[in-house]
């Protein structure tokens, strides 16, 4: 499970490096900042589990590392950026759909955004 990001750093290595640079960032402190359990941080730090996409975002914020780096070290695809006008365009298109079509689109989006360990 110790996948490697483009810099050659696994998630456990990334966590360890940040902790070496910032001794105040114990696993307890990382968990507090990320809003997760200490045991979750421990499983990521040992490489026995990979965080979900949402947890990768929280972990990046807690570590003060770029999200792209954390996602890469966890072997997850980074969510794409949303252009400033894209959200409005999407909503405009969505509003044109029937209620049934909106439910279909919601299911499709949920499936695409599902937290797949191989995502």
């Amino acid at each position: 499970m110790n996948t490697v990001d483009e810099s050659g750093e696994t998630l456990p290595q990334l966590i360890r490096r940040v902790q070496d640079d910032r001794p105040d960032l114990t696993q307890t402190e990382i968990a507090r900042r990320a809003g997760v359990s200490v045991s979750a941080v421990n499983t990521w730090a040992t490489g026995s589990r990979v965080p979900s996409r949402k947890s990768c975002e929280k972990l990046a914020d807690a570590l003060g590392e770029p999200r792209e780096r954390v996602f890469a070290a966890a072997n997850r695809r980074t969510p794409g950026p949303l252009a400033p006008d894209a959200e409005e365009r999407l909503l405009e298109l969505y509003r044109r759909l029937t209620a049934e079509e909106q439910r279909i689109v919601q299911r499709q989006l949920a499936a695409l955004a599902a937290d797949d360990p191989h995502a």
Side-chain angles (χ1 to χ4, degrees):
M1 259 196 207
N2 289 343
T3 55
V4 180
D5 77 358
E6 295 165 356
S7 70
E9 194 170 50
T10 65
L11 186 59
Q13 290 169 336
L14 183 148
I15 293 170
R16 209 167 314 124
R17 176 182 52 77
V18 171
Q19 287 184 298
D20 287 346
D21 293 343
R22 303 220 13 232
D24 61 309
L25 282 181
T26 62
Q27 288 187 9
T28 301
E29 180 61 15
I30 293 168
R32 186 191 69 74
R33 290 180 181 200
V36 299
S37 68
V38 176
S39 63
V41 174
N42 182 265
T43 62
W44 305 334
T46 61
S48 58
R49 295 207 56 186
V50 176
S52 68
R53 288 183 191 184
K54 186 169 215 57
S55 293
C56 280
E57 291 174 357
K58 292 177 179 182
L59 181 60
D61 293 343
L63 295 175
E65 288 287 313
R67 287 183 177 187
E68 295 79 15
R69 183 172 295 148
V70 173
F71 272 78
N75 198 31
R76 291 204 173 273
R77 291 180 289 169
T78 306
L82 187 60
D85 60 336
E87 185 174 356
E88 188 56 41
R89 282 195 325 266
L90 288 169
L91 284 173
E92 183 182 318
L93 292 169
Y94 184 81
R95 288 181 185 121
R96 294 180 190 173
L97 301 175
T98 66
E100 179 58 26
E101 290 168 336
Q102 288 177 0
R103 283 190 291 277
I104 292 168
V105 168
Q106 288 174 13
R107 284 192 300 267
Q108 290 172 331
L109 290 173
L112 287 171
D115 207 0
D116 179 354
H118 302 291

